Amino acid sequence: MGADHARILAAELPGAVIQVVCDASAARARAVADECGAADAATDAPAVIARSDVDAVVIASPDDTHAELALAAIAADKPVLCEKPLAPTARDCRQVIEAETRRGRPLVQLGFMRRFDPSYAEMKSACDDGRLGRVLMMHNFHRNVASPGAWFTADMAITNSAGHEFDIVRHVLGSEPASIAAWQPRRSDDMAAPVVMILETADRQLVSIEVNNNAAYGYDVRAELVGELGAVSLATPARARYERDLQSSVAHAADWRPRFAEAYRLQNRAWLRAIETGKPSAVAASAWDGYCAAATGEAGVRALQSGQRIAVDLGRAPTFYRDMRDAA
Ligand code: ISE
């Protein structure tokens, strides 16, 4: 993802110059720096964040390093685009929220890029303008071709993959989760089975989320919003349809990057505009949204492990984030 963000910044965003590419592997950092025309390559992330020739930071390192690097960017008073999740635990997310609030200015934009996907944006406007009537349900399917490994457990399917759904559901519905239940079917092999979750919102709407990280056939993200007057579904962008041998077919993406290429481009452009104007994006996710996704994910893991429906209590957004949203 770091290399992908570097390519987007280098190719699509003329207002940005990639000064340094940092990676645990010096060879990898140098290869991406050379590909994207960056001035320098390094392996010490905190030192790079502190450099006087670095104005802003993109974090796309392993999940469990995001919070500490976001804290370093906040300490250096530098805007940061942090890939999701903000942190694997709600507790670590709260440390970032407290640091940003103490700093007193919006610095963290979180990489829930689906908010910028044109199809989800259309779904949100259909929800907001009332053309569906009262929205009753949202159905979500999130399918990866294959899990990255046995280490990517059902718990990670909830805390890492489903974080996108936990965020986009809040963004589209404008309503907070109130409870969550979770189940898994039994596969015929020892690969990670799908996780199916049902959330109820504080506004008595029902949300279904299927995360299947071993779908095999393609990367496939679907969503449908169902209201009292109608429904709206995502349209997956397709470049071509093939007709042959009595078959008609459209190719699936191999992973999220081609499927959400436009969303990443628009997200990164909005981040740059927020830096230039000093005004946070009205669409982008904040550190508070990152906390909400992590807290919902923790409740989802408890629901799966216990077989019980678990209450989700996110608490009230701190004034700092409510004011940020109002100012956007
Ligand atoms: C991955 O980390 C992402 O963020 C992708 O958008 C998501 O589809 C995938 O399931 C996650 O593992």
Side-chain angles (χ1 to χ4, degrees):
M1 279 313 303
D4 284 275
H5 282 296
R7 292 184 193 105
I8 293 168
L9 287 164
E12 309 264 359
L13 302 177
V17 171
I18 302 179
Q19 197 65 7
V20 193
V21 174
C22 185
D23 190 280
S25 153
R28 177 83 177 125
R30 172 47 58 198
V32 175
D34 291 348
E35 178 190 344
C36 298
D40 201 356
T43 56
D44 180 340
V48 165
I49 291 170
R51 281 172 56 150
S52 60
D53 62 343
V54 168
D55 299 320
V57 181
V58 175
I59 297 171
S61 46
D63 295 1
D64 58 5
T65 66
H66 290 182
E68 71 177 281
L69 295 179
L71 289 169
I74 292 168
D77 199 24
K78 296 186 181 177
V80 52
L81 173 60
C82 182
E83 262 295 339
K84 43 66 62 184
L86 179 61
T89 67
R91 178 179 168 280
D92 288 349
C93 289
R94 278 208 172 273
Q95 288 187 348
V96 177
I97 286 168
E98 285 153 16
E100 188 179 29
T101 303
R102 278 196 307 272
R103 173 60 65 181
R105 76 186 187 100
L107 286 174
V108 179
Q109 178 174 318
L110 197 61
F112 283 126
M113 79 292 175
R114 294 190 190 179
R115 290 171 172 234
F116 292 89
D117 175 68
S119 199
Y120 273 114
E122 172 80 20
M123 178 177 279
K124 176 167 174 54
S125 65
C127 182
D128 292 348
D129 70 18
R131 76 187 89 154
L132 302 179
R134 170 171 158 75
V135 171
L136 304 172
M137 298 172 285
M138 185 172 179
H139 299 300
N140 303 272
F141 300 91
H142 180 167
R143 296 173 179 164
N144 280 284
V145 172
S147 170
W151 55 272
F152 204 92
T153 61
D155 290 1
M156 282 200 74
I158 297 172
T159 60
N160 176 291
S161 297
H164 282 294
E165 276 74 22
F166 296 146
D167 180 69
I168 201 66
V169 165
R170 289 182 61 244
H171 181 66
V172 166
L173 295 181
S175 182
E176 302 296 356
S179 67
I180 187 168
W183 299 267
Q184 280 189 288
R186 180 177 57 80
R187 282 185 62 106
S188 61
D189 53 26
D190 59 0
M191 294 169 76
V195 179
V196 175
M197 292 166 273
I198 301 289
L199 286 78
E200 184 174 31
T201 72
D203 198 21
R204 294 294 310 278
Q205 297 153 312
L206 289 181
V207 174
S208 67
I209 300 173
E210 172 209 313
V211 175
N212 181 359
N213 283 332
N214 286 298
Y217 68 84
Y219 182 78
D220 188 7
V221 168
R222 309 182 198 181
E224 180 183 23
L225 211 51
V226 182
E228 291 178 341
L229 301 181
V232 60
S233 302
L234 296 184
T236 300
R239 281 201 297 265
R241 170 175 290 279
Y242 293 84
E243 315 295 343
R244 176 173 171 172
D245 304 332
L246 304 182
Q247 298 283 330
S248 179
S249 66
V250 171
H252 279 293
D255 66 33
W256 57 90
R257 293 169 298 177
R259 165 64 184 80
F260 290 108
E262 179 68 354
Y264 281 114
R265 194 178 64 77
L266 294 171
Q267 167 194 259
N268 291 17
R269 175 178 288 184
W271 179 58
L272 212 58
R273 188 169 301 122
I275 294 170
E276 288 163 348
T277 63
K279 191 173 178 201
S281 158
V283 174
S286 67
W288 172 254
D289 298 307
Y291 159 77
C292 291
T296 307
E298 287 176 353
V301 168
R302 289 200 304 274
L304 182 65
Q305 291 171 348
S306 67
Q308 303 297 312
R309 179 169 154 178
I310 299 293
V312 179
D313 180 5
L314 301 177
R316 183 168 164 74
T319 306
F320 175 80
Y321 292 98
R322 295 204 305 276
D323 293 349
M324 185 198 295
R325 186 59 67 216
D326 295 345

